[in-house]
Amino acid sequence: MTLDTVKHAEQTPDTPLPWAELGLKPDEYERIVEILGRRPTGAELAMYSVMWSEHCSYKSSKVHLKQFGEKAPQSDAMLVGIGENAGVVDVGQGYAVTFKVESHNHPSYVEPYQGAATGVGGIVRDILAMGARPVAVMDPLRFGAADHPDTKRVLPGVVAGIGGYGNCLGLPNIGGEVVFDSCYQGNPLVNALCVGVMKHEDIHLAKASGTGNKVILYGARTGGDGIGGVSVLASETFEAAGDSASGRGKTAKRPAVQVGDPFQEKLLIECTLEIFREKLVVGIQDLGGAGLSCATSELASAGSGGMRVELDTVPLRDATLSPEEILMSESQERMCAVVEPQHVNRFMEICEKWDVIATVIGEVTDGDRLEIFWHGEQIVDVPPRTVAHEGPVYQRPYARPEWQDTLQADDAAKLPRPASGDELRAAVLRLIGSPNQASKAWVTDQYDRFVLGNTVLSQPEDAGLIRIDEESGLGVAVATDGNGRYAKLDPYTGAQLALAEAYRNVAATGARPLAVTDCLNFGSPEDPSAMWQFAEACRGLADGCLALGTPVTGGNVSFYNQTGDVAIHPTPVVGVLGVIDDVTRRTPIAFAEEGQLIYLLGETREEFGGSAWSQVEHDHLGGLPPAVDLEREKLLAEILIAGSRDGMIDAAHDLSDGGLVQALVESCLKGGKGARIVIPDTASDSGSAAGDPFVTLFSESAGRAVVAVPRSEELRFTDMCGARGLPATRIGVIDGDALAVQGEFTIPLDELREVFEGALPALLG
Amino acid sequence: MSTRIGVVTFPGTLDDRDALRAVRIAGAEPVSLWHRDKSLKQVDAVVLPGGFSYGDYLRAGAISRFSPIMELIIAGAKEGLPVLGICNGFQVLTESHLLPGAMLRNNHLHFICRDQKLRVENANTAWTCDYTAGDEISIPLKNIDGRYTADERTLDQLEAEGRVAFRYVGMNPNGSLRDIAGITNEAGNVVGLMPHPEHAVEPLVGTGRTDGLGFFTSILKRLISA
Amino acid sequence: MARVVVDVMLKPEILDPQGQAVQRALPRLGFDGISGVRQGKRFELEVEGPVDEAALTRIHTMAETFLANTVIEDFIVKVES
Amino acid sequence: MARVVVDVMLKPEILDPQGQAVQRALPRLGFDGISGVRQGKRFELEVEGPVDEAALTRIHTMAETFLANTVIEDFIVKVES
Ligand SMILES: Nc1ncnc2c1ncn2[C@@H]1O[C@H](COP(=O)(O)OP(=O)(O)O)[C@@H](O)[C@H]1O
Ligand SMILES: [Mg+2]
């Protein structure tokens, strides 16, 4: 096989290249030729094709994501915004926190364990690359129907993979989501979030500057992982250059599956943190999707000069890899650093201490080209910005699907409702025993939530809460939420509901929401309906973030979550980060003290579109999702935060899917105490639902929470709510060992527990 | 002079920071030890903390058992150096044959993380003397290879000699034989257990209980009175 | 009763962190001269009835669909004598 | 280069939940006639130089002290042809 050098490319302008097989469109290929003034070499083609893919270039989503910047609320907390590996937020006392959520959906369907494991690994390296010590992970998950046979393949594998990787890394898993819906049958969603902490001065960026500085690749050896597509370059085309008809079969097809090595990643983390401590790097980038292509072009593009790389110095796991494959390989657990020459020795010593392989593969040049050599011959000569930051941008057509009206007209209000106390009781048990509403302990018990010794709150609390300073008690809370059913009914509102819920969850722990990350999981951008859902969700999220004053700091887009023509529900997953000055003030969900008063905050309206009740009892999805009032969410959050800070509330639980009764069951079971509830009947206090037990218990109106108030604090608390204009309705008292709704039903805690905790084990074994 | 307690970090150790913190909270001086160290830095006792040393590849503890520092610890333990192995540390101790038996995959085959109740069966060891035999404590348990196994003769001997230091109460979380959660050597200086006392030393974090602090106050008491 | 063994190994091109960790440890333990280690699984199956063509075909299917994850693993079926 | 295989299996008296889980799943998947399943490990070692008596002795020691934990596991060493 002849090496396709730059010179060779100049001399053989007519050689046909497999750009179409690599996913490039004719006009995209034309642009590459235009940029280079000649045909690309195989290596250049490999780089452009992967960097211009949807996954790396955001070519369909960019025009919509722009709003997150344009509509960003004024925030002093934002230290690093969208565009870097992850956003960075000031949390006070000199600390900065970085967090981001990312998807690994498609790989997790193919190989659940490794797909999910490497999803965790990838997001952790993103956080590490910002200069931060990763301190926690979370995992928002969506699966097909709980009783579908393939769910029994995918779910246990995904959960074991997340646990297997995260536990071995020593990162506490502090929360996530597990949602079942048949729309995810062929397209499970595996999103992974990581939080990292650093001091302000430790923030690092992915850029290569300073002529003569060395480019060091360190971590695992490079193998053939995840390069399925590009092997065509190594095989047919060039093998048979000028004779493409011969079609001679060649090397084994490279594995598209990446295998994770969490032990290697743990070493990489500790090694990198030690390198940061000694201030040995100028710029740093993790290797994720698109591997070295991405790392080298992004570092060079963001820096001031050019870069020269000797590709044959890359340590390999498989000696037969071609240069194109090395550039494309997605082997895990690798990082790339730019280091001043006088620091290289120390850098290498630290790597040696941690048994991490490190190699100087190139250096920063004073030009403006990214040049890559293979045994002395030049195979890449490109302007790095054109690869990394100036990919194609599409204005995909989008249109509101015609079925949207029909769907919204199919109002959930018409569904038959439980009429008697006994029927209500039965409906409660079916609700909390349904896969989506039942305890997720089967999943979360497989995750280490204690490691690092700073976990203040974790599952099943509203948000995960981590102490970041032992002396002062400074902490951060993170929650992720997303409801595909709501978003299907109305993607604009659905995205805002996801945001509002995560925001509320963070506030419920007593933390002040500061910033947002998001993972937007949608169908094909080439389908105008899915594209409309995406556009609406982005608009909703951007408007919502502006209203709440919480900027989007980063996130991820996952398109093509569809099988044939059938897409998943549009599923924007939103993560909100908050700060709490003193973690001893945190509010848990548990009802722990008998005699404390239970207050319902916010207004309850008759809102059942997309509700858990409509799904569990009627397998119904139609109507409109609950209305969003972001001013109200802000007010609720202020009350929850003040209540926690000033010791007025001892428990708080946000209300979301499943409504009031779901929250009451969870708070009772967590605290091991019952509750006596009286359905409020004064309309002014509790909204339009007053007096109707079904609506009060099952409606999913947003902007609500339940809190437990010590009797001694009642007056102070209700005064505060009254003065601020937040409806606060006393609905009962913590008491006994049953959930009793006066005049309707009583369910002993033991019975609730059996149903709530028994459901997933019964399904998953 | 203050009491120096060493905490070993192997590649892949995770709970070393927590163990160091627990030592500090108990009032001793925490000393970090590195797996390649050729000296024990004059510590009075050693903790082998939890985690996944060498990724738990091959078998949990099998690779770290051969590190340079383990040679010193094995020799020291035989002369009476107090050694506490927690989780992965316990696995290292059985792999080193400082404690009998072996740890296998949990019988349900899953990683399990829970607040686990134990009974302190032997309150005479270097690491349990601040407890009373029969005390029930709750501390976090988190592992996938936590099923304690030994042959019948060894088990009988352990029982007969009072060397079962901790037993699971209420629920056996992994199929450990005779509900064994932790054991001690004959001399009582080497103790290993699967659950994590170092995660239960502060009221706020972890499970919110401080039932694990006694391990660290025990050793302090023992060393000071010695 | 006959015994059939199914050996399942990661495909050669797939990263084998376990084998790699073992290999790296060997020199430290004083074992030289091993240039590669791969770690896989071995299943020993006790088969009722005769191990004929039909039985082996069934076991092959079982290995392919269940014992091995053919996305990342290869397997072989052997009759133990 | 020669290949030596070390098979490591749990001793017969030790409970093997992995093997049992496989065995229990088989009938559900439609595979009958398997009365027992044990799951163990298989190590494939690439040996530099000749695989003579001396090399095999060394590998045997390695298996005994490292690859297998003889408290719970048995092993055998085989030269692959
Ligand atoms: N996959 C998961 N990983 C970790 N924690 C999870 C996961 N799924 C659910 N949880 C946790 O379980 C609890 C209940 O989840 P959920 O009912 O979805 O909460 P909410 O409705 O408040 O968002 C939360 O603490 C959540 O963080
Ligand atoms: Mg919640």
Side-chain angles (χ1 to χ4, degrees), chain A residues 407-491:
Chain A
L407 184 68
Q408 293 186 346
D410 180 16
D411 195 345
K414 61 164 203 270
L415 300 170
R417 303 173 174 192
S420 65
D422 283 348
E423 285 179 24
L424 274 174
R425 185 183 199 279
V428 170
L429 290 171
R430 281 192 299 267
L431 180 81
I432 64 161
S434 67
N436 282 338
Q437 306 306 122
S439 165
K440 302 303 184 305
W442 188 91
V443 170
T444 59
D445 282 357
Q446 298 186 47
Y447 304 149
D448 185 348
R449 55 186 180 274
F450 299 116
V451 62
L452 296 182
N454 286 311
T455 307
V456 179
L457 298 177
S458 60
Q459 51 269 18
E461 300 287 345
D462 277 340
L465 200 158
I466 292 282
R467 175 175 68 184
I468 63 177
D469 188 294
E470 272 183 59
E471 304 279 292
S472 70
L474 181 69
V476 294
V478 186
T480 74
D481 283 292
N483 187 319
R485 285 166 56 82
Y486 291 167
K488 173 95 180 208
L489 297 179
D490 180 348

Side-chain angles (χ1 to χ4, degrees), chain A residues 460-463 481 501 504-505 589 653-657 666:
Chain A
E461 300 287 345
D462 277 340
D481 283 292
E501 187 180 344
R504 201 185 311 132
N505 275 318
I589 63 168
H653 197 354
D654 93 297
L655 267 52
S656 55
D657 49 338
E666 290 173 3

Side-chain angles (χ1 to χ4, degrees), chain A residues 29-51:
Chain A
Y29 180 66
E30 280 312 308
R31 234 192 97 204
I32 296 170
V33 174
E34 196 183 306
I35 289 168
L36 298 177
R38 58 172 163 80
R39 78 156 172 90
T41 64
E44 288 166 342
L45 185 65
M47 294 184 79
Y48 279 105
S49 69
V50 63
M51 290 300 290

Side-chain angles (χ1 to χ4, degrees), chain B residues 38-172:
Chain B
K38 302 244 165 52
S39 137
L40 289 178
K41 300 189 183 167
Q42 277 141 7
V43 295
D44 303 298
V46 171
V47 178
L48 301 176
F52 286 78
S53 61
Y54 291 96
D56 273 4
Y57 297 151
L58 185 57
R59 287 180 312 279
I63 300 180
S64 16
R65 170 246 178 283
F66 289 100
S67 59
I69 200 153
M70 279 312 296
E71 286 181 27
L72 303 176
I73 290 173
I74 291 170
K78 290 181 177 156
E79 314 252 283
L81 175 74
V83 180
L84 174 66
I86 302 169
C87 195
N88 199 229
F90 186 17
Q91 293 157 339
V92 173
L93 290 176
T94 57
E95 284 284 342
S96 316
H97 306 298
L98 282 175
L99 291 174
M103 233 64 66
L104 288 163
R105 184 66 30 123
N106 294 340
N107 57 355
H108 46 78
L109 304 178
H110 290 134
F111 187 94
I112 183 169
C113 175
R114 67 191 305 267
D115 196 4
Q116 176 68 43
K117 198 181 264 190
L118 317 176
R119 188 168 52 243
V120 180
E121 301 279 20
N122 180 338
N124 296 321
T125 77
W127 299 92
T128 57
C129 59
D130 220 12
Y131 293 101
T132 306
D135 277 357
E136 292 194 351
I137 60 175
S138 270
I139 59 180
L141 173 89
K142 36 168 226 184
N143 60 58
I144 189 166
D145 292 311
R147 175 165 54 107
Y148 182 74
T149 307
D151 58 44
E152 286 295 311
R153 230 195 45 214
T154 307
L155 292 170
D156 289 341
Q157 189 184 353
L158 287 174
E159 303 264 15
E161 295 173 3
R163 289 168 54 197
V164 174
F166 311 93
R167 240 185 270 270
Y168 297 116
V169 178
M171 176 226 195
N172 181 332

Side-chain angles (χ1 to χ4, degrees), chain A residues 630-668:
Chain A
L630 296 171
E631 283 311 309
R632 170 55 60 80
E633 295 287 355
K634 264 168 105 167
L635 175 58
L636 175 67
E638 282 165 19
I639 296 285
L640 289 167
I641 295 162
S644 126
R645 187 190 52 226
D646 298 339
M648 287 183 268
I649 56 180
D650 273 6
H653 197 354
D654 93 297
L655 267 52
S656 55
D657 49 338
L660 173 63
V661 76
Q662 178 82 30
L664 289 173
V665 168
E666 290 173 3
S667 290
C668 285

Side-chain angles (χ1 to χ4, degrees), chain A residues 110-111 114 224-225 253 255 257 259-261 264 317-318 333 355 357, chain C residues 10-18 20-21 24 28 38 69 71-72:
Chain A
V110 178
E111 203 332 86
Q114 295 297 344
D225 309 71
K253 187 159 162 5
V257 177
V259 173
D261 180 352
Q264 175 72 246
R317 197 172 83 224
D318 170 357
E333 293 95 22
D355 290 324
I357 300 173
Chain C
L10 285 169
K11 296 187 177 180
E13 66 273 21
I14 297 271
L15 173 70
D16 172 14
Q18 305 230 48
Q20 205 174 287
R24 280 201 192 187
R28 271 189 281 124
R38 305 279 293 173
N69 175 355
V71 177
I72 51 174

Side-chain angles (χ1 to χ4, degrees), chain B residues 201-222:
Chain B
V201 296
E202 287 183 277
L204 189 70
V205 292
T207 59
R209 254 188 292 269
T210 56
D211 292 10
L213 196 56
F215 284 76
F216 305 94
T217 54
S218 291
I219 186 65
L220 210 57
K221 193 162 125 184
R222 178 63 58 96

